[in-house]
Amino acid sequence: MKPLPTLRQLRYLVAVVDRCHFGQAAEACLVSQSTLSAGLQELEDLLGATLVERTRRSVLPTPLGREIAERARQLLKGAEELVEITRSAADPMSGALHLGVIPTIGPFLIPRVMPALREAFPRLRLYLREDQTARLLGQLNAGKLDAALLALPYPMGDLETEDIAEDRFSFVCPAGHRLDGSDPTQAVTVPSEDLLLLEDGHCLRDHAMAACALDATPHNTAFQGTSLHTLVQMVANGLGVTLLPQMAVDSGILRGLDLAVHPLAGDRPGRRIALAWRRTSGRKETFQRLAEALRAEMTRNDG
């Protein structure tokens, strides 16, 4: 039987390839630099190939080293999922869970639901990572996150998802704007010429444009917000109008500002809030119960 690399050796290789620095890789693996260097040398001897080029000032992965590191990621992720299956069988709602969340959900949803989640699952330790959708999906597929709270529709590949809630859009404009009426329930059709949106990279931008049946290039491109709070301040300063998801409005983002809120004309489209995870993950029961708890809490708050 041929000798095989150990998971520890593969982890050392991945750390070095990711950082191109022995010291930083050793720190990430919680070992000394000499231990990591020796383990990597053992892996090269075992495979009979050079995986990294070493100089006094730098370390550079070889093309073969990069390829093996990429395959090693999949092996390490599979090993971690074996451990997850065992732990979740004993208590699905315990242990650490690394949860990604997009910036247009996190500040508005997390404060609402965290107290209830802590009470319902006291043994579950949630570690949150806020980032844009594309980067969260990359980390999720790489095994760096366990699950992610996202807004759909969005291309999800082979990930499994469970819807949590519908999040409708509302039209927001300065009080006295030509589209503002005395009746806050009056539906409006959003003008594209002064519509302010988030900058490229935020999926809410695409969802908002779809809600208004706009093309990919709104007329007002001089001002693009980096967050919903920035958009609100732009509108308050008379720079245009915008669309906000209902969860942001409910959180009080407009509090203290002389702004008007109206529903959209038509069927008031919006986005779907969903929890996503790898189809191969061994913690499916954990994610389903978490999604159920989030759904129940949002329904209770909305009621």
Side-chain angles (χ1 to χ4, degrees), residues 103 107-108 198 226-234 244 251 253 257:
F108 314 111
L198 292 177
T226 57
S227 72
L228 292 183
H229 289 86
T230 302
L231 282 185
V232 167
Q233 291 302 319
M234 288 179 176
L244 289 180
S251 75
I253 192 173
L257 300 175

Side-chain angles (χ1 to χ4, degrees), residues 108-285:
F108 314 111
L109 177 60
I110 297 302
R112 289 173 56 184
V113 301
M114 281 301 289
L117 292 181
R118 283 195 294 267
E119 182 178 355
F121 311 121
R123 293 170 57 84
L124 185 68
R125 302 191 309 278
L126 277 177
Y127 296 92
L128 301 177
R129 167 79 179 193
E130 186 176 276
D131 210 333
Q132 293 183 11
T133 304
R135 288 195 284 267
L136 289 182
L137 291 181
Q139 294 176 63
L140 185 54
N141 283 312
K144 296 179 180 179
L145 291 174
D146 298 308
L149 271 172
L150 307 168
L152 304 179
Y154 194 93
M156 301 302 290
D158 194 39
L159 294 175
E160 194 165 348
T161 65
E162 183 161 339
D163 283 6
I164 293 171
E166 289 286 335
D167 193 22
R168 300 286 187 175
F169 283 114
S170 293
F171 172 75
V172 179
C173 65
H177 186 274
R178 58 187 173 84
L179 291 178
D180 181 25
S182 57
D183 184 358
T185 64
Q186 178 185 356
V188 298
T189 300
V190 179
S192 62
E193 65 271 12
D194 57 354
L195 178 62
L196 301 173
L197 297 172
L198 292 177
E199 62 185 2
D200 288 336
H202 292 273
C203 62
L204 186 136
R205 175 187 177 90
D206 297 328
H207 295 154
M209 291 169 62
C212 299
L214 298 177
D215 59 26
T217 54
H219 293 93
N220 190 348
T221 58
F223 301 96
Q224 297 184 44
T226 57
S227 72
L228 292 183
H229 289 86
T230 302
L231 282 185
V232 167
Q233 291 302 319
M234 288 179 176
V235 175
N237 280 281
L239 298 178
V241 300
T242 194
L243 296 179
L244 289 180
Q246 192 60 42
M247 70 165 56
V249 176
D250 292 342
S251 75
I253 192 173
L254 304 179
R255 189 177 297 118
L257 300 175
D258 193 16
L259 297 175
V261 182
H262 293 273
L264 296 183
D267 59 358
R268 294 188 64 201
R271 58 181 187 167
R272 300 186 345 258
I273 309 303
L275 186 68
W277 61 87
R278 294 183 303 278
R279 195 174 298 276
T280 57
S281 174
R283 304 183 72 179
K284 184 172 182 177
E285 183 180 352

